[in-house]
Amino acid sequence: MKRTIVIVLFVSLFSLIGGRNAAAASSSWAVIDAETGRLLKGANENVPLPIASLTKIWTAFTLLESNAPLGITTISSAAASAEGSSIYLEQGMSADVEGLLYGLMLRSGNDAAYALAEHAGGSVEGFTDLMNETALYYGLKDTFFTNPSGLHDEQHLSTAYETALMLRYAMLNKKFREVSSAVNYTYEMNGKTAHWQNKHRLVRSNEFAVAGKTGFTKAAGRTLATYFEKENKKIIVVTLNDGNDWNTHRQLAEETFATYDLKTVAKKGNYRILPGIEGRLKKPIHVLLKKGEHKNLSHIVRIPRTEAKKSIGGWTVYYEDHPLLTAEISLTEK
């Protein structure tokens, strides 16, 4: 096993060569930096609550991560008769899996959720287990699923913060990003044509809203997740049980974009790391910060212990002892 040397350094020491009010206990919200996952602000953001159809973010992501084929699947009786919102699948029909993903994310079809679960997991129960395993793999410790659609169950819960992380991880998947950001989609199935419009109003109307998911059950209330991008700033807003969620998301996005700037915390170039060791960053490191937060940053460079004169290390930026992101640094021993 290779060992590493950990060097704690501050950029300033390197020599460069060349509010919102707290929500009620039954509701919560969170805003995170979509690049790093850092919580920027929130209220009750770590309280487990019902998330309704925001569940389908993880359903789609789990299917895509499972590498299940996107070909054709046959709709079962259980899928066709799934309770709740529907894209009107019929028992025995052949359906295109990619199209079902659009029906899942744009129209929130519970029948699509069950059909996809059976396709990728062999059964709804098996796929739900896979959703939970995937959640644990990604560090979502306060999230638990009992079904792939978001129908209410006392144990089917997540937090506003972890739901925002779900969307963050999912948006790193190219196919998920393509599906969830679509405004309209035309689906051909069994000789019939369906025209679907994204239920997420902001994705249709707000120039900075890239993707997202809506949700509602009587137990959960209105739930909403939105991925915003503006001037290379990327944030995710999640609200759980907010009856005014469209306006809340617009307001939180505007406040966050006005308050936070994308700051360069390490320029690209060559750095003297230790006597006899130099490092080169090929790209600058940018972090979303508000005024005064740069004081809470620290930097760690990890140097592999090797006989070679050249190696690849890792430059990690920390905010208050929490790692934000890591960039490769090319190291040379002089």
Side-chain angles (χ1 to χ4, degrees), residues 49-319:
L49 292 171
I51 63 171
S53 284
L54 301 194
T55 296
K56 294 182 175 90
I57 294 169
W58 209 243
T59 301
F61 180 61
T62 300
L63 179 138
L64 292 169
E65 289 290 290
S66 74
N67 292 317
L70 294 184
I72 302 298
T73 191
T74 301
I75 304 303
S76 70
S77 173
S81 59
E83 178 186 352
S85 55
S86 174
I87 58 170
Y88 307 107
L89 299 175
E90 298 174 1
Q91 179 182 353
M93 70 180 291
S94 296
D96 175 63
V97 172
E98 182 173 344
L100 292 179
L101 280 169
Y102 281 91
L104 178 80
M105 293 302 297
L106 271 61
R107 301 307 299 167
S108 205
N110 286 359
D111 49 354
Y114 279 72
L116 291 169
E118 291 173 340
H119 173 73
S123 68
V124 170
E125 295 76 15
F127 185 79
T128 303
D129 288 342
L130 183 59
M131 290 174 68
N132 286 316
E133 290 171 8
T134 306
L136 287 175
Y137 176 81
Y138 280 92
L140 307 181
K141 298 179 181 179
D142 292 318
T143 297
F144 186 76
F145 304 102
T146 62
N147 62 74
S149 66
L151 284 176
H152 182 64
D153 184 284
E154 293 296 331
Q155 293 181 306
H156 191 111
L157 303 169
S158 186
T159 68
Y161 176 59
E162 290 197 353
T163 303
L165 290 178
M166 285 187 221
L167 185 53
R168 174 180 178 250
Y169 295 133
M171 286 293 283
L172 297 175
N173 183 288
K174 183 179 179 180
K175 176 57 69 174
F176 179 92
R177 187 183 183 98
E178 172 191 312
V179 171
S180 62
S181 61
V183 174
N184 297 289
Y185 185 75
T186 299
Y187 186 34
E188 302 282 347
M189 52 183 177
N190 288 16
K192 298 180 181 179
T193 301
H195 299 284
W196 294 330
Q197 185 180 66
N198 199 322
K199 283 187 175 184
H200 198 303
R201 186 187 303 171
L202 297 183
V203 174
R204 302 198 313 263
S205 63
N206 186 294
E207 63 178 314
F208 305 120
V210 175
K213 186 70 189 73
T214 61
F216 174 79
T217 63
K218 289 183 179 180
R222 293 176 62 89
T223 63
L224 189 65
T226 312
Y227 187 106
F228 292 94
E229 288 185 14
K230 181 180 180 183
E231 298 171 349
N232 293 321
K233 305 175 191 178
K234 302 173 184 179
I235 64 171
I236 293 171
V237 179
V238 168
T239 50
L240 302 181
N241 193 20
D242 183 345
N244 193 32
D245 49 11
W246 302 120
N247 288 328
T248 299
H249 279 233
R250 275 191 290 261
Q251 181 182 345
L252 285 171
E254 289 171 3
E255 290 174 356
T256 305
F257 286 136
T259 305
Y260 286 81
D261 291 309
L262 202 59
K263 299 290 188 181
T264 301
V265 297
K267 298 178 181 179
K268 70 176 183 180
N270 296 331
Y271 291 83
R272 294 191 181 96
I273 307 300
L274 286 173
I277 297 180
E278 291 183 359
R280 178 171 181 79
L281 275 177
K282 293 183 179 179
K283 297 180 179 179
I285 300 176
H286 306 293
V287 175
L288 204 57
L289 299 171
K290 64 181 179 181
K291 187 175 181 180
E293 285 191 331
H294 67 280
K295 300 174 184 177
N296 299 319
L297 295 181
S298 59
H299 302 254
I300 289 180
V301 174
R302 288 177 171 81
I303 303 174
R305 188 182 295 277
T306 176
E307 300 283 333
K309 293 290 186 180
K310 294 185 177 182
S311 60
I312 300 296
W315 180 321
T316 302
V317 180
Y318 285 76
Y319 182 84

